[in-house]
Amino acid sequence: MQFRQNKRYIKLTSFLIIGFLVLLFFFRKMVVNNPVFNLVSNEKQVSSWEQYLSNKEKMNLKKMKQSYAELMNMGKSYADDNQWILAREHFFLAKTLFPDRIGPRKHLCYSYLMLCQEDWRYCDRGRKELYYAMKYVQPTDKISYEYLYHLVELVEMEEIVEMEEGDALAAIF
């Protein structure tokens, strides 16, 4: 009887030892070799994350430039066909992508002024765009500055362009 009891304890002990070794093996595989728990690997992951963000920014900028070029080309195409509403929409979207660029602002102003000749409701929006375009144009860019100032003279906005933003918008609307 004692022999059977000892045999049972031996089986139980060997089962526990084998179970412990299996758990130790899995623990080593899952935790010790896991990069989350390894500081050196974690630092590499941070630098690769920064590289990922940098690459993502470059990719986004590239796509934005491509979309900008497409919008400008389509806007010019619609303007050539005197479809001013569609041209205005495309120039506005191009301006939204790169607000500091003066090209879409010039075309947008001209589109609004052409629409103003057809429907008076576009006149105020055209003046507002012209006011902001004059704020963004660089005096060193003589061609754009002279073009926009010529549009300012056509709509008789010389004094409004010199005003502060709140006063200018009150005068426009």
Side-chain angles (χ1 to χ4, degrees), residues 93-107:
L93 291 173
K95 177 191 83 162
T96 304
L97 286 175
F98 293 104
D100 293 338
R101 293 190 182 177
I102 199 66
R105 287 184 180 274
K106 288 189 328 186
H107 292 292

Side-chain angles (χ1 to χ4, degrees), residues 63-80:
K63 288 184 180 187
M64 284 173 59
K65 286 179 180 179
Q66 182 181 1
S67 294
Y68 173 83
E70 289 173 6
L71 288 167
M72 288 298 290
N73 287 335
M74 290 180 70
K76 289 175 185 176
S77 173
Y78 285 125
D80 290 342

Side-chain angles (χ1 to χ4, degrees), residues 24-75:
L24 187 64
F25 175 76
F26 281 118
F27 176 78
R28 187 168 187 270
K29 284 288 188 187
M30 300 304 273
V31 175
V32 175
N33 293 333
N34 193 332
V36 172
F37 299 107
N38 190 345
L39 295 178
V40 175
S41 181
N42 197 11
E43 289 174 8
K44 288 180 185 175
Q45 186 178 10
V46 169
S47 67
S48 66
W49 178 253
E50 290 170 357
Q51 184 180 10
Y52 166 78
L53 290 177
S54 173
N55 290 343
K56 185 122 175 121
E57 271 184 35
K58 289 176 186 175
M59 217 167 58
N60 284 345
L61 184 60
K62 181 180 176 184
K63 288 184 180 187
M64 284 173 59
K65 286 179 180 179
Q66 182 181 1
S67 294
Y68 173 83
E70 289 173 6
L71 288 167
M72 288 298 290
N73 287 335
M74 290 180 70

